[in-house]
Amino acid sequence: MGHTRTRLVGLLVAVWIVVPVLLAVLRWPDYWEWIAPERTPMTWAQSVVLMLAGAGCLLTALVAGRAGERAGIWSLLGAGLLALGTDERFAFHESLGDDLFGSDGDSVPFLPWVAPGDFLLFVLAAVGLLLLVWVWWAVRADGAATVALAVGVVLSAGAVGMELIDSSTWSTAADRVHGSVQEVVELAGGLALLAMVALRLLGMLDAHLPGAEEEGE
């Protein structure tokens, strides 16, 4: 991995560590207030990460098209990440889910621990899994980007799984820890996906721009 790529990954790891720690310290001892709930500085940071990843996908689509490679999957993934970033900022799926299902106390019969109103997460997860094969195919030539994709998928799936758990019946302290950890994992997943997009874009630029690889070193 070149110096530019190493610095990029190091920067994103630093963001993942610094943001939650800073938010917790600024609200201490109520560390969870800017992390666990919706519409907080943490969800704002997550939305920025997803928006950057979405914009990076659209830029990658442009480069891929100019290079004669398939660009459709990058455009589709970019649109999806931009939509997720918007949802993260304004909590659309939580509000819609609560309005449609939550008030009736509906849940998934075979997953009784799922909180009412979280049906829409299953839809989002299913769409993401359908895209996964095509995204992997688009990044398979870049080992570092492939690893970042795998890490992002695992972390994002873990974050969705944690969000599906209804912790409202837990103790207040446990509920706060659960919510905070879930948001930190979700931030890590978004940063890994951003790393995947950025690494693939750098790889394409190295391959198609004369002298780019030497400058990156």
Side-chain angles (χ1 to χ4, degrees), residues 99-187:
D99 291 341
L100 291 178
F101 307 111
S103 59
D104 296 329
D106 296 335
S107 62
V108 181
F110 53 88
L111 297 175
W113 63 85
V114 174
D118 277 341
F119 291 103
L120 293 179
L121 286 176
F122 285 100
V123 178
L124 294 174
V127 172
L129 289 175
L130 288 175
L131 288 176
L132 181 58
V133 173
W134 285 273
V135 175
W136 175 84
W137 190 261
V139 303
R140 71 193 190 285
D142 190 315
T146 303
V147 171
L149 173 62
V151 172
V153 169
V154 170
L155 290 173
S156 298
V160 170
M162 292 181 68
E163 187 171 351
L164 287 173
I165 297 174
D166 186 1
S167 61
S168 61
T169 59
W170 300 3
S171 68
T172 300
D175 182 49
R176 289 168 177 170
V177 170
H178 171 266
S180 299
V181 171
Q182 187 270 326
E183 295 296 338
V184 172
V185 173
E186 185 174 337
L187 176 63

Side-chain angles (χ1 to χ4, degrees), residues 7-204:
R7 287 194 293 267
L8 170 67
V9 173
L11 175 62
L12 295 179
V13 171
V15 169
W16 174 59
I17 295 172
V18 170
V19 168
V21 171
L22 181 61
L23 295 179
V25 169
L26 289 176
R27 297 302 296 172
W28 195 266
D30 301 325
Y31 68 90
W32 68 89
E33 287 190 348
W34 280 0
I35 299 177
E38 299 298 330
R39 299 184 179 93
T40 61
M42 173 61 92
T43 54
W44 175 84
Q46 293 167 346
S47 70
V48 170
V49 169
L50 292 171
M51 289 288 190
L52 288 174
C57 283
L58 297 181
L59 181 57
T60 303
L62 178 62
V63 174
R66 293 293 183 91
E69 301 180 14
R70 293 183 178 180
I73 184 57
W74 291 109
S75 298
L76 186 59
L77 181 60
L81 289 171
L82 290 174
L84 287 175
T86 302
D87 175 75
E88 192 65 38
R89 177 64 181 86
F90 298 104
F92 289 139
H93 89 264
E94 288 88 352
S95 299
L96 182 60
D98 289 341
D99 291 341
L100 291 178
F101 307 111
S103 59
D104 296 329
D106 296 335
S107 62
V108 181
F110 53 88
L111 297 175
W113 63 85
V114 174
D118 277 341
F119 291 103
L120 293 179
L121 286 176
F122 285 100
V123 178
L124 294 174
V127 172
L129 289 175
L130 288 175
L131 288 176
L132 181 58
V133 173
W134 285 273
V135 175
W136 175 84
W137 190 261
V139 303
R140 71 193 190 285
D142 190 315
T146 303
V147 171
L149 173 62
V151 172
V153 169
V154 170
L155 290 173
S156 298
V160 170
M162 292 181 68
E163 187 171 351
L164 287 173
I165 297 174
D166 186 1
S167 61
S168 61
T169 59
W170 300 3
S171 68
T172 300
D175 182 49
R176 289 168 177 170
V177 170
H178 171 266
S180 299
V181 171
Q182 187 270 326
E183 295 296 338
V184 172
V185 173
E186 185 174 337
L187 176 63
L191 287 166
L193 293 177
L194 175 57
M196 178 271 294
V197 176
L199 290 169
R200 184 63 191 123
L201 178 59
L202 287 174
M204 294 176 66

